[in-house]
Amino acid sequence: MADRQPIGKAELARQLREFIDPHYVIEDAETQKVYECDGLPMYCATPLLVVVPETVDQIQQAMRVCHRHRIPVVARGAGTGLSAGAMPVSDGVVLSLARLTRIVDIDPLARSARVQPGVRNLAISEAAAEHGLYYAPDPSSQIACTIGGNVAENAGGVHCLKYGLTVHNILKLEVITVAGEKVTIGSEGLDTAGCDLLALMIGSEGLLGVVTEVTVKLLPVPQRAQVVMAAFDQVQTAGAAVGEVISRGIVPAGLEMMDSHAIKAAEAFCGAGYPVDAKALLLCELDGTREEVQQGIEQVEHLFLRLGATATRVSHDEAERALLWKGRKSAFPAVGRIAPDYYCMDGTIPRSQLARVLAEIDTLAEHYSLRVANVFHAGDGNLHPLILFDASVPGEFEKTEELGGRILELCVAVGGCITGEHGVGIEKIRQMHVQFDEVELAQFRAIKSAFDAGGTLNPGKGIPVLKRCQEYRALDARASLR
Amino acid sequence: MADRQPIGKAELARQLREFIDPHYVIEDAETQKVYECDGLPMYCATPLLVVVPETVDQIQQAMRVCHRHRIPVVARGAGTGLSAGAMPVSDGVVLSLARLTRIVDIDPLARSARVQPGVRNLAISEAAAEHGLYYAPDPSSQIACTIGGNVAENAGGVHCLKYGLTVHNILKLEVITVAGEKVTIGSEGLDTAGCDLLALMIGSEGLLGVVTEVTVKLLPVPQRAQVVMAAFDQVQTAGAAVGEVISRGIVPAGLEMMDSHAIKAAEAFCGAGYPVDAKALLLCELDGTREEVQQGIEQVEHLFLRLGATATRVSHDEAERALLWKGRKSAFPAVGRIAPDYYCMDGTIPRSQLARVLAEIDTLAEHYSLRVANVFHAGDGNLHPLILFDASVPGEFEKTEELGGRILELCVAVGGCITGEHGVGIEKIRQMHVQFDEVELAQFRAIKSAFDAGGTLNPGKGIPVLKRCQEYRALDARASLR
């Protein structure tokens, strides 16, 4: 950025206040504090300024000011991301989309909703409920996280096995380019002429543009949902059962697995009735019409028992279903009680490798003298190893981070992928060199340049700009543990 | 291309013959003849050379030679495309993928097949049949068209209403870049790290790279399929019925519409038992389990009758189902019998606009003194107006082409799109300026440059490089009617 036109923080703030309510151009360190990291607080930084525009027009103007002066821009939703994708850069602006919270339109006939990026994930389903419709992707953070952030990270959730990730549930985006121009990407029809940029934009972590409106698909709320829980005395047996369910053509709404550490922690936390001596627990939910769910649940329960489940339990009403899920849904905070800190990893493997990878994670954990609890979307092979550690012990986070990296590399080695639903952000940028070769990375960089030649959109995230993995070792992105 | 290294046809052929069987480097005009157009023969050109490599390695080498000498490359499958996407350029090489016909692997557990680009669409389903699986997208040309061509044009078909276009049924691609490098795009899992280039590559008409391997999703063959035919005495009533079926949450496997011209032509051609006095005919197919299909068919038939159908007929066995579809499937050749020539358009509109658009097409046709038959995928709003004309009448094709352009512009005006499943190619490149504004087109050009800075991959197709629509009027792409 040699040709950057120099501009001080005060002058930048002045220019932005010409069209944004002065109160929402945040300069003071205290108010900025909440913006210094996302849901992965190990990575944090203080930005130059935080701006919280109210309209798309203000966003366009802010983008133009930043573009003119080559100021980096980091867009931000609710900050619940888990890969430091929304971490500020110290010489840049954080562009919070928190005030764009309008549900513009719900079209029950077309089964779609047009919403602003700051609308919370769950708020879409709440608004669509009167039409018997809902928005399917359901990240654990759905009460808080925004659809804009979901689009940025291609968020997933328990029900993505059947209904897909964010990328499979978005029809159209309105995007502001780095130069402040407004473009429409995607359409409400099946096909769209020209380059299909929709999937490229989804999961691009704010590197290609700023999303200012999202048209999502809505689905009819299923008549019925039922869950079967199965306990196993071996992780291997549970892993094999997952493969068996899928290969029989059953498409569960969700198929989740928890290991011994996670079962114990969850049960102690909320008393869902989990068998605490089990080595692995599967939760398999089916949804659809009454008849098909009933038939399917019987089939799955029978299958689990035949494949060695030591106990099963089927939900018979909504209260029981909620109870069985309660343990799974509170597994993260539950694990938070059995260790001072935990680090949630995210990677995807072929389902056939489940048992092998879980065994290797155990071996790795032993090598690093760390404990790992596993709570994950088994049906789609999306692992979430939770590494337990104590940040107050010198060197323990570094060890944790190294183990995390080894786990991601293991995912790649078995034919999987370093992401599942949390994105790359800063967290996984080193592993991009493990996942992709130089030709592929060069292609990504060329794409990035096609949208943002100056490299001012969320610099340092998603796509490695440095040539060699090793250079990242020296990177000072991670500031300090908090 | 000022810095092009000059090389003659003979020298190019010599270099290519160093690694490709000399016989498959085609120089003579007679053998080249079959390559001079795709399924839209109004647009044709003679290439410099045609090469038909046998291996991916040969493709990489050929790409390197062409790249070094800045020779344009037009990849080609079976040549069944309908937008002149595979039309040669006179100073370039046609790269035929017809010899890459290997089904590399079928994985019934993962429900996927890895195939070479020259494999015919239907051959995938034939090979997967022993596992009870099939590949869903079914273009009319599925006996002949190749999966590589399907990927290039994002092909559709009758069953795309339920199962999506090609883009919704591909997991992974192996692509050779313009410089001859091999890259992998997509993955077998739900998520993929890095830029999601898969959808971008699908439908990109050979402008971004050459696809050398395709991993497709396979689906279980449905237990049962049944079709209900309904006749209407008004196009409007039939159009409204289409909207009503979809808005009730019924997801037909296919929902097709034919107008009066098409019904008469089809019935005369193959005697499917269509009511020739009907103004519109709907064919609605449902598939799934026996129970749901039976229930659904009853519901749809009842609905059609309530909404004004003058007659209905339900298929009771596979023979009757095949018969009812026979007329629809042979509608194009049937129309070919009632006029010397026809021009098949392809555009998409919101379903709510069906009746209005069909009426406006009638008005336009009258204005141009041409007849238009309509046979189309009503369920997804994908129109295929067939303009009937006589190429031997001077000026009649020009008039036809103008009417075609007006129809595409009408699609855009009602909120639709200039493509449905045939791509842009050369045919619709002028209408790209109607569909997109300059900012969006500039974005497409930047993307194209990110993959192919020299612009040698399938030049002139898909993305307009000229600044103004008018410039295309002077374009000499269309050589002559044949």
Side-chain angles (χ1 to χ4, degrees):
Chain A
M1 294 197 207
D3 55 349
R4 177 180 199 150
Q5 292 174 248
I7 182 175
K9 173 171 166 169
E11 173 58 15
L12 177 64
R14 193 196 62 72
Q15 290 191 22
L16 291 167
R17 286 190 176 122
E18 280 176 13
F19 50 87
I20 295 175
D21 182 350
H23 178 68
Y24 284 111
V25 178
I26 302 165
E27 285 182 85
D28 70 291
E30 203 45 49
T31 318
Q32 281 192 359
K33 195 84 186 160
V34 294
Y35 297 95
E36 72 180 27
C37 66
D38 62 14
L40 193 62
M42 291 79 107
Y43 297 85
C44 61
T46 306
L48 205 56
L49 288 176
V50 176
V51 295
V52 194
E54 194 186 357
T55 66
V56 174
D57 184 63
Q58 288 173 356
I59 294 171
Q60 288 187 266
Q61 291 189 62
M63 294 301 283
R64 284 189 205 117
V65 168
C66 291
H67 187 57
R68 197 179 315 133
H69 301 294
R70 309 218 167 213
I71 304 282
V73 174
V74 179
R76 177 189 173 94
T80 54
L82 288 169
S83 61
M87 191 188 86
V89 290
S90 59
D91 58 345
V93 163
V94 167
L95 180 73
S96 165
L97 298 159
R99 289 169 76 205
L100 282 88
T101 56
R102 210 152 49 84
I103 293 180
V104 182
D105 182 45
I106 293 185
D107 182 343
L109 282 189
R111 291 205 196 142
S112 64
R114 209 149 55 83
V115 304
Q116 289 194 311
V119 171
R120 290 174 307 109
N121 174 297
L122 194 59
I124 302 175
S125 294
E126 285 166 354
E130 63 171 309
H131 307 288
L133 300 172
Y134 79 114
Y135 174 66
D138 55 348
S140 307
S141 57
Q142 70 175 154
I143 301 172
C145 65
T146 63
I147 189 70
N150 291 178
V151 167
E153 299 296 349
N154 191 18
V158 163
H159 290 88
C160 289
L161 174 55
K162 181 164 181 179
Y163 298 107
L165 298 170
T166 302
V167 70
H168 305 107
N169 289 276
I170 301 292
L171 295 167
K172 201 165 81 173
L173 296 174
E174 176 187 278
V175 174
I176 308 303
T177 68
V178 68
E181 307 268 17
K182 194 190 285 181
V183 294
T184 300
I185 290 176
S187 80
E188 275 144 72
L190 268 181
D191 196 23
T192 116
C195 300
D196 187 344
L197 303 178
L198 191 62
L200 175 62
M201 193 58 65
I202 296 166
S204 67
E205 307 194 291
L207 267 76
L208 308 181
V210 173
V211 171
T212 50
E213 194 177 276
V214 185
T215 305
V216 304
K217 284 185 206 167
L218 299 175
L219 296 178
V221 177
Q223 251 179 41
R224 187 195 184 93
Q226 228 179 330
V227 61
V228 51
M229 177 187 84
F232 292 84
D233 56 8
Q234 279 186 62
V235 168
Q236 282 74 359
T237 328
V242 168
E244 198 65 22
V245 167
I246 303 293
S247 69
R248 272 164 195 267
I250 300 163
V251 185
L255 179 46
E256 301 282 309
M257 185 159 161
M258 297 167 74
D259 73 0
S260 177
H261 287 306
I263 298 166
K264 285 200 184 77
E267 187 58 21
F269 187 72
C270 72
Y274 291 171
V276 291
D277 53 344
K279 288 279 179 282
L281 199 71
L282 293 181
L283 287 168
C284 179
E285 178 160 299
L286 299 186
D287 65 12
T289 62
R290 266 166 245 288
E291 297 72 22
E292 64 183 335
V293 171
Q294 197 181 345
Q295 222 175 27
I297 284 284
E298 271 170 30
Q299 192 188 354
V300 171
E301 187 183 19
H302 182 78
L303 194 65
F304 283 162
L305 286 169
R306 199 167 57 72
L307 294 170
T310 53
T312 60
R313 179 172 164 189
V314 173
S315 71
H316 289 97
D317 52 34
E318 278 303 291
E320 194 172 4
R321 185 171 81 90
L323 183 70
L324 289 178
W325 276 115
K326 195 177 173 192
R328 165 63 185 90
K329 290 199 173 172
S330 55
F332 285 23
V335 161
R337 294 209 314 182
I338 63 169
D341 299 281
Y342 71 85
Y343 182 24
C344 172
M345 304 304 301
D346 167 57
T348 307
I349 56 167
R351 275 186 298 265
S352 58
Q353 302 293 318
L354 269 180
R356 173 182 157 197
V357 167
L358 291 176
E360 289 198 30
I361 289 176
D362 272 354
T363 310
L364 283 171
E366 219 164 287
H367 174 80
Y368 285 93
S369 310
L370 288 165
R371 280 180 304 161
V372 176
N374 283 291
V375 186
F376 59 97
H377 311 312
D380 29 10
N382 180 194
L383 301 182
H384 288 317
L386 301 171
I387 308 175
L388 312 183
F389 70 104
D390 183 348
S392 68
V393 175
E396 196 155 297
F397 175 69
E398 287 69 17
K399 222 168 63 172
T400 297
E401 207 187 13
E402 205 177 310
L403 171 56
R406 295 284 297 274
I407 292 175
L408 293 179
E409 288 157 24
L410 172 62
C411 291
V412 177
V414 301
C417 163
I418 60 169
T419 60
E421 52 184 13
H422 297 175
V424 172
I426 288 179
E427 184 201 21
K428 296 167 179 170
I429 202 137
R430 292 178 195 173
Q431 280 78 29
M432 286 291 283
H433 291 272
V434 180
Q435 182 93 62
F436 299 103
D437 65 26
E438 260 317 305
V439 176
E440 290 161 333
L441 291 176
Q443 188 60 77
F444 294 165
R445 286 183 208 113
I447 292 281
K448 164 71 171 166
S449 288
F451 285 84
D452 175 26
T456 53
L457 290 176
N458 209 6
K461 321 290 172 62
I463 301 170
V465 286
L466 302 180
K467 281 281 173 192
R468 294 164 57 79
C469 182
Q470 284 70 12
E471 297 180 62
Y472 277 96
R473 307 283 170 191
L475 198 68
D476 200 18
R478 190 180 77 250
S480 66
L481 278 171
R482 309 195 309 162
Chain B
M1 296 195 205
D3 54 350
R4 178 178 197 151
Q5 290 175 249
I7 180 175
K9 174 171 165 169
E11 171 58 15
L12 179 63
R14 193 196 60 74
Q15 290 192 22
L16 291 167
R17 286 191 177 120
E18 280 177 14
F19 51 87
I20 296 175
D21 183 349
H23 178 67
Y24 284 112
V25 177
I26 303 164
E27 283 182 87
D28 71 290
E30 205 44 52
T31 319
Q32 281 191 359
K33 196 85 186 159
V34 294
Y35 296 95
E36 72 180 28
C37 66
D38 61 14
L40 193 62
M42 292 78 108
Y43 298 84
C44 61
T46 308
L48 205 58
L49 289 176
V50 177
V51 296
V52 196
E54 194 186 357
T55 66
V56 174
D57 184 61
Q58 288 173 355
I59 294 172
Q60 288 188 266
Q61 290 188 64
M63 294 300 284
R64 283 188 206 117
V65 167
C66 291
H67 187 58
R68 197 178 317 131
H69 301 294
R70 310 219 164 213
I71 304 281
V73 175
V74 179
R76 178 188 173 97
T80 54
L82 288 169
S83 60
M87 190 189 86
V89 292
S90 58
D91 58 346
V93 163
V94 167
L95 179 74
S96 166
L97 299 159
R99 289 169 77 205
L100 283 91
T101 56
R102 208 152 48 83
I103 293 179
V104 183
D105 180 46
I106 293 186
D107 182 342
L109 281 190
R111 290 205 197 144
S112 64
R114 209 148 55 84
V115 305
Q116 289 194 313
V119 171
R120 290 174 306 108
N121 174 296
L122 195 60
I124 302 174
S125 295
E126 285 167 355
E130 64 170 306
H131 306 288
L133 300 172
Y134 78 115
Y135 174 66
D138 54 348
S140 308
S141 56
Q142 69 176 153
I143 300 172
C145 66
T146 64
I147 189 70
N150 291 179
V151 167
E153 299 296 348
N154 191 20
V158 164
H159 289 89
C160 289
L161 174 57
K162 182 165 179 179
Y163 298 108
L165 298 169
T166 303
V167 68
H168 306 107
N169 290 277
I170 301 294
L171 295 167
K172 202 164 81 174
L173 297 174
E174 178 187 276
V175 174
I176 307 304
T177 69
V178 68
E181 307 268 15
K182 193 190 287 181
V183 294
T184 298
I185 290 178
S187 80
E188 274 145 72
L190 267 182
D191 196 22
T192 115
C195 299
D196 187 344
L197 303 179
L198 190 62
L200 175 62
M201 192 59 64
I202 296 165
S204 67
E205 307 194 291
L207 267 76
L208 308 181
V210 174
V211 171
T212 49
E213 194 177 275
V214 185
T215 305
V216 305
K217 285 186 206 170
L218 299 175
L219 296 178
V221 177
Q223 250 180 41
R224 185 195 186 93
Q226 228 180 328
V227 62
V228 52
M229 176 187 83
F232 292 85
D233 57 8
Q234 280 185 62
V235 168
Q236 282 74 0
T237 330
V242 168
E244 198 66 21
V245 167
I246 303 294
S247 70
R248 272 165 196 267
I250 299 162
V251 185
L255 178 46
E256 301 282 307
M257 185 159 162
M258 296 168 74
D259 73 2
S260 179
H261 287 307
I263 298 166
K264 286 199 184 76
E267 186 57 22
F269 187 73
C270 72
Y274 292 171
V276 289
D277 53 344
K279 289 279 178 280
L281 200 71
L282 293 180
L283 288 168
C284 180
E285 178 160 300
L286 299 187
D287 65 10
T289 62
R290 267 165 243 289
E291 298 74 20
E292 62 184 337
V293 171
Q294 195 180 349
Q295 223 175 26
I297 284 284
E298 271 170 31
Q299 191 188 356
V300 171
E301 187 182 20
H302 183 77
L303 195 63
F304 283 161
L305 286 169
R306 200 166 57 70
L307 294 171
T310 53
T312 59
R313 179 172 163 190
V314 172
S315 70
H316 289 96
D317 52 33
E318 278 303 291
E320 194 173 5
R321 185 170 82 91
L323 183 69
L324 289 178
W325 276 116
K326 196 177 171 192
R328 164 63 185 93
K329 290 198 173 170
S330 56
F332 285 23
V335 162
R337 295 209 312 182
I338 62 170
D341 299 282
Y342 71 85
Y343 182 24
C344 173
M345 305 304 302
D346 168 56
T348 306
I349 56 167
R351 276 185 299 266
S352 59
Q353 303 293 318
L354 269 181
R356 174 183 157 195
V357 167
L358 292 176
E360 289 197 28
I361 290 176
D362 271 354
T363 311
L364 283 170
E366 219 163 288
H367 174 80
Y368 284 93
S369 311
L370 288 165
R371 280 181 303 160
V372 176
N374 283 291
V375 186
F376 59 97
H377 312 310
D380 30 9
N382 181 194
L383 302 181
H384 287 318
L386 301 172
I387 307 174
L388 311 183
F389 70 105
D390 182 348
S392 68
V393 175
E396 195 154 297
F397 175 68
E398 288 68 17
K399 224 168 61 172
T400 298
E401 206 187 14
E402 205 178 309
L403 170 56
R406 294 284 297 272
I407 292 174
L408 293 179
E409 287 157 26
L410 172 61
C411 292
V412 177
V414 301
C417 163
I418 60 170
T419 61
E421 52 186 11
H422 297 174
V424 172
I426 289 178
E427 184 201 20
K428 297 169 180 171
I429 201 138
R430 292 177 195 176
Q431 281 77 29
M432 286 292 282
H433 291 274
V434 180
Q435 182 92 62
F436 298 103
D437 65 26
E438 259 317 305
V439 176
E440 289 161 334
L441 291 176
Q443 187 61 76
F444 294 165
R445 287 183 207 112
I447 291 280
K448 164 73 171 163
S449 289
F451 285 85
D452 174 26
T456 52
L457 289 177
N458 208 5
K461 322 289 173 63
I463 300 171
V465 286
L466 304 180
K467 279 285 173 190
R468 293 164 57 79
C469 182
Q470 284 70 10
E471 295 180 63
Y472 278 95
R473 309 279 169 191
L475 196 69
D476 200 19
R478 190 181 75 250
S480 67
L481 279 171
R482 307 198 308 167

